[in-house]
Amino acid sequence: MTQATLLALLSHWWRNPLQLFTLLAGLALATALWSGVQAVNAEARASYDAAAATLGEAQYERLVRPDGQPMAQATYVALRRAGWLVSPVVQGRLEGVRIVGIEPLTAPGGIGPVAPQEGADFGSFLTGEGQLFANAETAARLPDLDVIISPDIAPGTAVTDIGVAQRLLGKADLIDSLIVLPAQPRTRVPLAEIAADLTRQPAQGGSDIGRLTDSFHLNLTAFGLLSFAVGIFIVNGAIGLAFEQRRPVVRTMRALGLPLRRLILLMGAELMIFALIAGIIGVALGYVIAALLLPDVAATLRGLYGADVSGTLQLRPSWWLSGLAIALGGTALAASGALSQLARMPLLAAAQPRALAMAAGRRARLQGYAALVLLVLSAILMVTAEGLIGGFGLLAGLLIGAALALPLLLDACLNLMSKAAKSVTAQWFWADTRQQLPGLSLALMALLLAMAANVGVSTMVSSFRLTFTDFLDQRLASELYVRTDDAAQAAGLIGFAKDRVDAILPIQSTQTTVAGQPTEVFGARDHATYRDFWVFLQSTDDAWGTTFAGRTVLINEQLSRRAGLDVGDTMTLQDRDFQIAGVYGDYGNPIGQAVLGEAIFGMLYPDVAPRNYGLRMPPEDVPDFVAGLEAATGIPATQTINQAGIKSISLAIFERTFTVTTALNILTLAVAGFAILMSLLTLASMRVPQLAPAWAMGMTRRQIGWLELLRAVMLALLTALVALPLGLALAWALLAVVNVAAFGWQLPMYLFPADYARLGVFALLAAALAALWPALRLARTPPADLLKVFSNER
Amino acid sequence: MNVKALLLLCWMPCVATAQGFAGLGTEVDGFSVPQPNPTFHFPSDHGAHPEYRIEWWYLTANLTAADGTPYGLQWTLFRSALAPETGAGWSAPQLWMGHAAVTTPDNHYVSERLARGGIGQAGVTAEPFEAWIDDWVLQGDWQTMQMTASAPDFAYDMALTAKGPLVFHGEGGYSVKSAAGQASYYYSQPFFAITGTLQLPEGDIAVTGNAWLDREWSSQPLADNQTGWDWFSLSFDDGAKLMGFRLQQTDGENFTSATWIMPDGTTTAYADGALTATPLATNADDVPVRWRVELPARGLDVTVAAINDNAWMTTSVPYWEGPVTVTGSHAGIGYLEMTGYE
């Protein structure tokens, strides 16, 4: 009996291959977008984790010098001999590769090349013969060195023995930081007695890079989730239609004695098989999408945050399994309504070919209430939401509420239009559109979500770009930055630059703790550069004046939010109270920051000497200055950073970001377009009886075709009008609620009307393209078929 | 397996010989090899011999608290050379490993340190004598000495006073380890009186007792068919002492050696076969913790039993090391070390 039932059920799909295709393609596309995005995220996160594990920043406290300069190797030995279980680390860059030197005998487990690789020789690792470990990509960038391929090493990083790293990086007898092992001996001399110049830097508890790049991944995840939602709408539509059409079959089979439970079980099993097939296709497609996107994403992250992400994708079981799981879960979600309806259906209920539409009509009121509740809830959350959960609740409420409200809105709109219509044709057009709306509403909801997501995410990314470039202007106000290695170089630089540049701005900083927050304190020299370029979120009238005079302090937004400090409040540095004169935006910085005047900074932190300098000069003089500096003082060009260079790199990075965003925009729109196409195609066959009277009364088939096309575009236009405010609300929620909760700073929101207009045109094009084939098919319906409507009894 | 374990495998003598053994009297990878009839020079021979592959300063002590509770203590510094050279900096091929332990009747506390030679983090100087790794130190003139070690769960600070002369094992300090003739240089100071404080999670405990310091170095002390050893250092109530070891061979046979030490320090060496050691009972991990030890030439027939069966050293290369009691023809206390039971 089971086999016969299955055959009967499956026969529906053989007779309606298009429906089967819709179901499989919708699900596969949804899974593909979701799992593609997840693959990119997973790859990036694995790279961060590998990077963090290389140095153990996440798990272990460290000892560093507050000025960021390396310490003497003798300090390490002195600490060990005083009972401190610390392990030295040396790091630097060579050919763009991050070289990390570790001491394998004292390093805690889980750091460095822990698993011996093929060809590894620890004798030669330890005795300074120059063995390095890196992945294949990185190894290719270090052709002159003895690199052992080790896939687990973080991208862009080569791990080697500390002695080798010191030699390669020119840091003989120097150590950059000391990892503090978690278990320390019972008897230990206090740090201040051995190395008073070192400070303890707490474990970061999750990598810095991970936190910085979270906002980027959040964008991608939002995209993935919305695409999946769009796909599930398609699947839901296809399943609903198929179940409606199979009611006669179901009725017959049940009348023949098939138990309801077995029927439901079989239909569920049938869907799960489809979901599995579609899931496999989707995961494969997702892999292709991820592989295509990853190089751009990797380049973006590397440029934006200095995070090294592997450009090649690894197939992780957790990833493809979750892809399959979400395909199955999505199908279950989409089918649950249809299956429960089937379970409740009276045994002999008549087949209702248009039941889908009728049911939608009956459900309209309920749907309206649900939408209202969700939107009101979103409005409340907009004011009150705090934290990530609230932020995501707001996003979900907004999107689902708007999607549910869309058919009602469109219906009201069409009702108005039809009342305003004068001609018979126009009246018929509006009335016919209203009648078709229930069948199309799922596809239109998908389009709404896709467009809103595009508006929201592109507004967020573009706002981020604008803010960030402004921020770069503010922070990179000097035309040239020079790093000096010691006091002699610093003196040489000042001597050389004194008469050649407009201003020398020393950059000095130290690490401390303010109100329990790790904070970097800067000393700034009194110069117009700061007054001209820095933008405050909040400040007193003469914030820079009082700060340079040593009376006040300026803090970044992160410190302000986390420590609850505002303009006018007082904070303490080195037992001295300062009033806060201003709060500035500091994007992408994970820790707090405070700026003092140069004089007071020197008094409070007499041991910190500036090693980095910003130089103001006409931009065109920079190349000559750099060449002259090297000739006169021996400070190589590699120790200088040209501001124009940084800015062009930053802009190039944003171009990459946009490549990613645009690709995802196009993909989601394509999914929505596909939804429209499939809805129209399934409707088309049922529409012949409704179009036949119009044809019989004198409309040409060509006219009918055109009107079909026009209808799709008009509905897309109406949807786009709803999508725009929804997208902006989404962008606002992302920038003002989710971003603050996740990263501690708010991004200002900018509007980009030209982008929205272009997006609208794309959406209309997508709708027109989707409607083209169904319209053509209608226009080419043989007159005989139309005539049959009048002669045949349906 | 991690880097450390791999490194340590290179250190352990059995592996070292498997890689490098090339027969008696020849050089092993450029390392020197012990020769019969040695002449020792002190204090310089208390220091390191970097031209040999492996070397150790190995102190064990039987301690008693005021309430009569017995304790055991270990302080060991191993040197292992990747090449027979010294030098300054990270690339110097001398590596150091320290093991410290305290054994109570109920607990066994272990700690391990690793360090590179060449940067001052660990080493041994002969004059004045100081052996150190990190903050662990053994120093003094071999008459009076100080010794400290510290770990997250225990620490100790001890003072030692020699009550007798140095003792040389085998043929004047040339200790043969196999029928094929592998050997090491081996002498001891078994007459240390020791006093100090143990810092344990249970609290600080003042203890006194006697300590036994072994010095041994070689480049290939075991034959390639030898898989581990059982080593006894026993102090009898009448003032006599016994050092004996049994090397386990893959063919099921053993190679034994013993030194009988009179209370005045005069010694008698016993070649292979004179000493027998027979396992009587094992602990939950199949490590024999009760032994019958016989040396008929001295009328010795004793049972050696661990004070704490679970004195397993959870170090990079694990082994068993702990205090024992001696009963039978002779009564006393001592230390037992067993390797090759992983």
Side-chain angles (χ1 to χ4, degrees):
Chain A
M1 183 165 67
T2 303
Q3 199 185 354
T5 315
L6 255 185
L7 278 176
L9 284 174
L10 285 175
S11 69
H12 169 82
W13 302 108
W14 308 144
R15 279 184 283 110
N16 297 282
L18 196 62
Q19 253 178 40
L20 181 63
F21 177 72
T22 313
L23 182 70
L24 290 181
L27 198 56
L29 275 178
T31 311
L33 279 178
W34 166 256
S35 55
V37 165
Q38 289 309 306
V40 170
N41 281 347
E43 194 64 46
R45 282 184 206 289
S47 294
Y48 308 150
D49 288 349
T54 306
L55 286 183
E57 281 130 334
Q59 309 107 292
Y60 302 108
E61 189 189 8
R62 2 188 82 210
L63 296 177
V64 293
R65 280 180 50 149
D67 59 5
Q69 299 297 313
M71 67 190 85
Q73 187 169 297
T75 308
Y76 161 68
V77 177
L79 279 167
R80 289 290 305 197
R81 297 230 50 197
W84 281 74
L85 291 185
V86 289
S87 184
V89 175
V90 169
Q91 54 177 323
R93 290 208 167 248
L94 189 73
E95 312 285 335
V97 174
R98 177 169 155 216
I99 306 286
V100 177
I102 58 161
E103 208 289 286
L105 295 187
T106 50
I111 288 198
V114 278
Q117 306 296 319
E118 290 283 324
D121 171 355
F122 286 93
S124 77
F125 186 85
L126 287 178
T127 50
E129 287 172 28
Q131 211 166 53
L132 287 87
F133 292 79
N135 70 15
E137 219 178 320
T138 312
R141 286 152 70 187
L142 300 168
D144 302 333
L145 297 170
D146 173 17
V147 182
I148 289 167
I149 307 296
S150 174
D152 294 336
I153 304 284
T157 302
V159 177
T160 186
D161 182 60
I162 184 158
V164 177
Q166 283 181 340
R167 181 158 46 78
L168 289 176
L169 300 169
K171 288 187 171 179
D173 293 331
L174 292 177
I175 283 165
D176 287 308
S177 63
L178 295 170
I179 300 169
V180 181
L181 273 70
Q184 292 287 326
R186 290 166 69 103
T187 54
R188 195 172 62 156
V189 183
L191 181 63
E193 286 177 31
I194 309 296
D197 59 337
L198 298 187
T199 56
R200 305 177 72 148
Q201 192 176 311
Q204 316 267 323
S207 65
D208 267 7
I209 292 293
R211 273 157 70 182
L212 277 178
T213 48
D214 269 350
S215 109
F216 188 84
H217 293 298
L218 195 68
N219 286 353
L220 289 180
T221 306
F223 247 121
L225 201 60
L226 287 169
S227 314
F228 188 75
V230 168
I232 290 307
F233 270 96
I234 303 175
V235 175
N236 189 354
I239 292 176
L241 190 66
F243 275 45
E244 286 298 328
Q245 290 179 349
R246 284 200 286 188
R247 280 195 179 199
V249 180
V250 168
R251 184 189 57 178
T252 310
M253 286 195 296
R254 288 197 61 197
L256 287 171
L258 183 71
L260 179 66
R261 178 185 293 271
R262 179 172 299 190
L263 181 70
I264 301 247
L265 227 64
L266 284 175
M267 288 182 98
E270 167 204 69
L271 280 177
M272 285 305 129
I273 290 166
F274 288 156
L276 208 59
I277 295 168
I280 290 167
I281 298 170
V283 169
L285 275 178
Y287 187 81
V288 173
I289 291 174
L292 291 177
L293 282 182
L294 193 59
D296 281 324
V297 170
T300 303
L301 291 169
R302 188 174 302 131
L304 208 50
Y305 306 103
D308 280 308
V309 171
S310 170
T312 48
L313 202 60
Q314 285 180 42
L315 208 54
R316 297 170 202 281
S318 62
W319 165 74
W320 62 260
L321 280 174
S322 75
L324 285 183
I326 199 155
L328 290 171
T331 311
L333 192 75
S336 58
L339 280 173
S340 76
Q341 254 189 344
L342 192 71
R344 287 198 309 269
M345 188 175 79
L347 178 58
L348 292 177
Q352 294 171 299
R354 297 285 305 142
L356 183 70
M358 305 296 285
R362 282 197 302 277
R363 281 202 307 267
R365 178 179 295 223
L366 196 65
Q367 194 174 326
Y369 287 140
L372 196 68
V373 167
L374 283 171
L375 290 175
V376 168
L377 201 68
S378 309
I380 295 171
L381 277 175
M382 274 199 183
V383 186
T384 61
E386 266 178 30
L388 269 182
I389 305 283
F392 281 116
L394 170 55
L395 291 183
L398 261 180
L399 288 173
I400 300 172
L404 289 177
L406 181 73
L408 306 176
L409 267 175
L410 289 179
D411 194 58
C413 210
L414 294 175
N415 198 9
L416 273 177
M417 298 283 199
S418 88
K419 282 194 178 127
K422 294 280 188 299
S423 77
V424 175
T425 312
Q427 278 184 356
W428 171 80
F429 175 78
W430 294 117
D432 190 49
T433 307
R434 276 189 78 190
Q435 192 265 349
Q436 248 190 299
L437 195 56
L440 275 173
S441 62
L442 279 173
L444 291 174
M445 284 184 201
L447 182 66
L448 176 78
L449 290 187
M451 287 192 65
N454 282 346
V455 169
V457 175
S458 66
T459 302
M460 176 172 172
V461 172
S462 300
S463 295
F464 187 55
R465 168 158 84 160
L466 268 187
T467 312
F468 208 78
T469 42
D470 279 357
F471 170 68
L472 287 180
D473 281 339
Q474 166 185 334
R475 282 313 173 79
L476 301 177
S478 298
E479 280 73 19
L480 184 70
Y481 290 85
V482 183
R483 173 174 61 81
T484 61
D485 282 342
D486 48 42
Q489 275 200 351
L493 169 71
I494 293 170
F496 178 78
K498 205 164 51 199
D499 305 322
R500 289 180 173 81
V501 302
D502 300 338
I504 302 174
L505 303 176
I507 300 166
Q508 47 201 337
S509 71
T510 187
Q511 300 232 346
T512 180
T513 308
V514 173
Q517 300 295 324
T519 303
E520 210 174 354
V521 181
F522 279 86
R525 177 167 291 180
D526 188 353
H527 191 264
T529 304
Y530 295 108
R531 292 193 178 85
D532 294 348
F533 287 97
W534 282 49
V535 182
F536 288 107
L537 303 174
Q538 249 189 314
S539 70
T540 58
D541 290 340
D542 186 23
W544 280 113
T546 54
T547 301
F548 287 137
R551 293 197 298 277
T552 60
V553 64
L554 306 170
I555 62 172
N556 69 354
E557 187 186 2
Q558 284 84 326
L559 184 59
S560 164
R561 283 184 191 272
R562 289 184 194 143
L565 293 169
D566 278 313
V567 170
D569 292 348
T570 301
M571 65 181 253
T572 309
L573 288 169
Q574 300 286 84
D575 297 328
R576 193 173 169 132
D577 287 346
F578 292 91
Q579 212 178 30
I580 294 165
V583 177
Y584 54 89
D586 188 13
Y587 306 103
N589 182 358
I591 67 169
Q593 215 176 63
V595 176
L596 287 172
E598 187 183 13
I600 191 80
F601 182 90
M603 273 172 58
L604 295 183
Y605 305 99
D607 299 338
V608 179
R611 286 277 184 267
N612 299 307
Y613 294 86
L615 304 176
R616 299 300 314 272
M617 65 181 88
E620 60 275 15
D621 293 355
V622 169
D624 288 344
F625 181 89
V626 171
L629 182 67
E630 179 156 16
T633 66
I635 298 174
T638 49
Q639 279 177 232
T640 65
I641 299 171
N642 186 339
Q643 176 222 46
I646 297 183
K647 281 193 184 153
S648 70
I649 290 170
S650 309
L651 288 177
I653 292 158
F654 279 116
E655 290 318 310
R656 296 281 202 158
T657 316
F658 277 89
T659 316
V660 177
T661 314
T662 310
L664 286 172
N665 272 343
I666 290 171
L667 282 170
T668 41
L669 272 183
V671 171
F674 181 76
I676 296 178
L677 171 69
M678 289 305 146
S679 304
L680 288 175
L681 279 179
T682 41
L683 283 176
S685 54
M686 294 180 234
R687 302 245 317 125
V688 176
Q690 287 147 18
L691 294 175
W695 170 75
M697 282 186 261
M699 272 176 112
T700 65
R701 285 179 301 158
R702 193 183 163 81
Q703 268 177 318
I704 291 174
W706 271 114
L707 283 176
E708 284 294 314
L709 197 61
L710 186 66
R711 174 179 297 119
V713 172
M714 189 268 307
L715 284 173
L717 183 67
L718 288 176
T719 305
L721 290 179
V722 181
L724 182 62
L726 179 64
L728 294 180
L730 190 68
W732 182 85
L734 282 171
L735 291 170
V737 181
V738 176
N739 219 43
V740 174
F743 322 115
W745 70 85
Q746 179 169 2
L747 281 170
M749 181 165 151
Y750 298 94
L751 297 180
F752 305 88
D755 287 355
Y756 307 147
R758 199 171 55 232
L759 180 68
V761 170
F762 281 145
L764 296 190
L765 271 178
L769 268 176
L772 194 61
W773 185 33
L776 266 176
R777 267 182 28 158
L778 276 181
R780 288 179 188 160
T781 312
D785 286 356
L786 292 167
L787 276 175
K788 271 186 211 155
V789 170
F790 302 104
S791 56
N792 291 359
E793 198 179 19
R794 280 207 283 134
Chain B
M1 175 189 294
N2 63 23
V3 166
K4 285 180 190 168
L6 197 82
L7 279 170
L8 285 157
L9 281 182
C10 303
W11 291 28
M12 289 314 277
C14 46
V15 177
T17 39
Q19 286 172 343
F21 174 59
L24 185 68
T26 59
E27 291 203 329
V28 185
D29 288 349
F31 288 102
S32 299
V33 173
Q35 301 296 325
N37 307 313
T39 312
F40 293 98
H41 301 280
F42 297 109
S44 64
D45 273 327
H46 291 320
H49 300 83
E51 66 276 20
Y52 291 83
R53 193 190 290 273
I54 52 165
E55 181 163 17
W56 54 68
W57 294 255
Y58 208 121
L59 187 142
T60 52
N62 290 93
L63 304 168
T64 314
D67 66 356
T69 311
Y71 293 91
L73 174 150
Q74 181 193 348
W75 189 105
T76 310
L77 184 62
F78 299 93
R79 180 188 61 78
S80 172
L82 298 167
E85 297 154 18
T86 52
W90 295 102
S91 59
Q94 301 285 333
L95 306 179
W96 298 85
M97 171 166 74
H99 287 176
V102 170
T103 312
T104 75
D106 304 314
N107 286 306
H108 182 65
Y109 303 101
V110 182
S111 186
E112 177 178 53
R113 299 289 178 86
L114 300 170
R116 310 267 278 268
I119 57 160
Q121 192 187 337
V124 176
T125 55
E127 210 171 357
F129 176 80
E130 184 183 11
W132 79 93
I133 183 163
D134 297 337
D135 54 327
W136 300 3
V137 178
L138 173 65
Q139 62 182 356
D141 58 6
W142 285 70
Q143 283 304 311
T144 58
M145 301 187 86
Q146 294 80 45
M147 179 177 75
T148 58
S150 183
D153 49 356
F154 75 96
Y156 53 71
D157 191 351
M158 313 300 288
L160 303 138
T161 311
K163 302 289 187 187
L166 294 179
V167 164
F168 296 84
H169 301 285
E171 297 158 29
Y174 178 78
S175 170
V176 176
K177 301 295 191 210
S178 80
Q182 274 87 355
S184 65
Y185 292 130
Y186 184 9
Y187 66 86
S188 305
Q189 170 49 278
F191 294 109
F192 274 124
I194 182 169
T195 174
T197 307
L198 303 177
Q199 293 178 38
L200 301 177
E202 296 92 310
D204 285 5
I205 298 159
V207 288
T208 57
N210 57 285
W212 179 311
L213 173 55
D214 266 1
R215 283 281 292 117
E216 192 161 10
W217 65 97
S218 179
S219 293
Q220 26 93 273
L222 293 194
D224 52 11
N225 69 340
Q226 291 177 330
T227 56
W229 65 82
D230 309 299
W231 174 89
F232 302 85
S233 64
L234 308 179
S235 300
F236 305 114
D237 293 347
D238 62 7
K241 294 172 189 291
L242 171 75
M243 186 290 295
F245 58 81
R246 185 186 89 138
L247 294 161
Q248 309 140 16
Q249 289 168 202
T250 49
D251 59 5
E253 299 292 308
N254 300 311
F255 180 94
T256 63
S257 173
T259 305
W260 186 266
I261 305 164
M262 300 298 286
D264 65 354
T266 53
T267 60
T268 312
Y270 292 92
D272 182 23
L275 177 90
T276 55
T278 318
L280 298 176
T282 59
N283 68 5
D285 299 318
D286 270 344
V287 179
V289 288
R290 273 173 75 84
W291 289 80
R292 180 177 183 187
V293 176
E294 295 159 281
L295 185 62
R298 289 282 170 182
L300 180 81
D301 184 352
V302 292
T303 300
V304 171
I307 287 175
N308 180 344
D309 286 358
N310 299 312
W312 188 248
M313 297 293 288
T314 52
T315 39
S316 305
V317 174
Y319 58 99
W320 195 101
E321 175 96 38
V324 292
T325 56
V326 184
T327 52
S329 66
H330 294 62
I333 49 172
Y335 241 81
L336 168 60
E337 174 179 276
M338 296 177 280
T339 70
Y341 290 93
E342 284 178 65

